[in-house]
Amino acid sequence: MIFIDACFRQKTPYTPTWLMRQAGRYLSEYRESRAKASNFLSLCSSVDLATEITLQPVDILDVDAAILFSDILLVPHHAGLPLEFKKDFGPVFLQTIEKIDDVNALKSEAYKDLGYVYEIVNNVRKKLSKDKALIGFCGAPFTLATYMCEGSGSKSYEKTKKLLYANPQVMHALLSKLSFELKHYLCEQIRAGADCVMIFDSWANALEIGKYLEFSWKYILEITTFIKEKYPKIPIIVFPRGCGAFLESLSGNFEVLGIDWQISMHIARQKVGGKYVLQGNLEPARLYDLESMKEGVRNIIKIMKNNGHIFNLGHGMIKDLPRENAIELVRYVRELSSKY
């Protein structure tokens, strides 16, 4: 698989591409599949629908990897925090974490209740072309913790930071518990057929560097080390969104480092050196305009030169981006990068 080869920095005929949120509302096929489920949680737990949605962008865009259609918050949901997805708002936990008793009340081995996720992975891998990779994923412990403390998304993370600074032992207890679940959750996805796994630290930029290393990166490394000991041939992608200012401080046992669009790939490469294959980092909004998109692609490919690079966006696809531009993006990256 070209995607897996690229993860291990092997020579590839072109730079492989996949897009975060490549299965989403910008595709009419996704909207049709979504309408068949009563709510988002039902969609995530439907083996047939989630399989269908996972495969859609591979068929439509011809990306080099599929990523499991699921949600990072399924793990805390099955651990005992009731979860709802409110229309035009997003995920909401009906209970939150405030004290050590709340952490202790979380169910242990919740990953065992996520059998439908592993069934989806297995189903997708059977239907996916052998030359296309399948990416499994989870949210990073700290990112999950922010939702569990705040109850929903946040811009300032007051509850999370209050707990972190005033009762750090409670936050560490929560992060340790989540890390245990996520280690096994990813391993189960690998056993089910995932060719690669990714850890999304979507709210990594919420913390100053010292606290980030203590309360987030430490636990990410625990997970990657655990997986590498069991599955050394499975590549791991880590995406610490918004950490461009201190990329040089991030190191560990994984192959690919995701780069968001707020830092240039040139600077990212200078900071990281040759330690990791870099993934990213086109600004998603460039896809609104074909020429702007192509300009962005040229800038990135010129820097990376099909060497230690997986092409992606700097974050996820936006819901109203033109699908024809996404199709052209994949084609254009392939054409341009093959010249290097």
Side-chain angles (χ1 to χ4, degrees):
M1 296 175 192
I2 184 172
F3 176 83
I4 301 300
D5 288 345
C7 287
F8 288 114
R9 205 186 286 274
Q10 296 176 13
K11 183 64 179 173
T12 57
Y14 60 86
T15 300
T17 302
W18 72 277
L19 308 175
M20 286 182 275
R21 293 187 192 148
Q22 63 187 17
R25 287 175 287 178
Y26 76 101
L27 294 176
S28 58
E29 292 85 349
Y30 169 83
R31 297 194 298 271
E32 290 168 6
S33 299
R34 171 69 181 84
K36 297 175 186 176
S38 57
N39 56 56
F40 189 74
L41 282 174
S42 297
L43 186 65
C44 290
S45 62
S46 168
V47 174
D48 289 341
L49 289 177
T51 298
E52 184 179 285
I53 290 170
T54 301
L55 293 170
Q56 283 169 353
V58 180
D59 297 333
I60 297 165
L61 308 181
D62 195 28
V63 287
D64 295 287
I67 185 167
L68 167 71
F69 178 77
S70 190
D71 194 272
I72 63 171
L73 299 182
L74 295 182
V75 171
H77 175 58
H78 281 277
L81 290 189
L83 176 65
E84 290 184 358
F85 284 84
K86 293 189 176 181
K87 188 177 180 181
D88 301 323
F89 181 79
V92 176
F93 281 115
L94 305 183
Q95 297 170 216
T96 57
I97 301 296
E98 298 177 5
K99 54 189 184 299
I100 192 64
D101 289 347
D102 300 328
V103 177
N104 292 336
L106 292 172
K107 181 180 179 180
S108 297
E109 299 188 333
Y111 72 91
K112 292 182 177 179
D113 295 333
L114 284 148
Y116 61 86
V117 172
Y118 316 135
E119 190 176 348
I120 294 164
V121 171
N122 184 258
N123 210 28
V124 170
R125 186 59 271 176
K126 287 178 180 177
K127 296 185 177 186
L128 190 63
S129 172
K130 290 182 179 179
D131 64 337
K132 305 288 188 181
L134 174 57
I135 306 168
F137 72 92
C138 71
F142 177 73
T143 286
L144 298 188
T146 64
Y147 283 102
M148 297 168 78
C149 293
E150 303 291 334
S152 61
S154 175
K155 293 182 179 179
S156 52
Y157 312 97
E158 289 104 329
K159 296 176 182 177
T160 306
K161 291 187 176 184
K162 181 180 179 180
L163 189 66
L164 185 150
Y165 284 104
N167 292 292
Q169 69 279 7
V170 177
M171 181 59 76
H172 278 304
L174 174 59
L175 295 167
S176 293
K177 202 157 195 175
L178 287 170
S179 296
F180 171 84
E181 299 293 342
L182 297 171
K183 290 172 187 175
H184 294 282
Y185 183 51
L186 290 181
C187 284
E188 290 296 334
Q189 291 182 45
I190 292 168
R191 276 192 278 272
D195 304 297
C196 171
V197 290
M198 180 167 174
I199 302 172
F200 285 89
D201 204 359
S202 303
W203 306 132
N205 62 348
L207 297 175
E208 59 185 280
I209 179 172
K211 293 303 180 186
Y212 180 72
L213 295 175
E214 178 185 353
F215 287 93
S216 186
W217 195 249
K218 169 189 172 183
Y219 294 97
I220 288 173
L221 296 187
E222 282 188 15
I223 295 169
T224 61
T225 299
F226 183 86
I227 293 169
K228 277 296 165 188
E229 287 175 353
K230 292 182 176 294
Y231 300 101
K233 295 183 179 180
I234 297 293
I236 302 173
I237 306 169
V238 179
F239 180 49
R241 183 186 174 205
C243 288
F246 51 87
L247 282 179
E248 66 275 15
S249 299
L250 306 181
S251 62
N253 195 1
F254 56 91
E255 283 74 28
V256 183
L257 184 65
I259 306 298
D260 63 69
W261 54 266
Q262 294 168 315
I263 180 173
S264 77
M265 291 300 273
H266 176 69
I267 295 174
R269 202 171 201 179
Q270 285 183 329
K271 284 174 171 280
V272 175
K275 286 193 295 185
Y276 305 108
V277 170
L278 300 184
Q279 176 178 279
N281 70 334
L282 187 70
E283 216 275 48
R286 279 186 175 268
L287 272 77
Y288 283 119
D289 178 77
L290 189 61
E291 288 310 310
S292 295
M293 181 199 79
K294 287 188 172 182
E295 177 188 48
V297 170
R298 288 194 295 271
N299 291 341
I300 293 168
I301 296 296
K302 185 177 179 180
I303 294 166
M304 300 306 296
K305 297 181 172 63
N306 190 25
N307 179 22
H309 185 215
I310 293 167
F311 201 96
N312 207 311
L313 305 178
H315 200 231
M317 286 288 287
I318 304 168
K319 64 182 179 180
D320 63 341
L321 290 174
R323 64 184 283 153
E324 60 271 17
N325 288 0
I327 294 169
E328 176 60 14
L329 169 65
V330 176
R331 189 206 67 78
Y332 191 58
V333 170
R334 194 167 290 169
E335 174 193 320
L336 209 57
S337 63
S338 66
K339 297 176 181 177
Y340 289 93

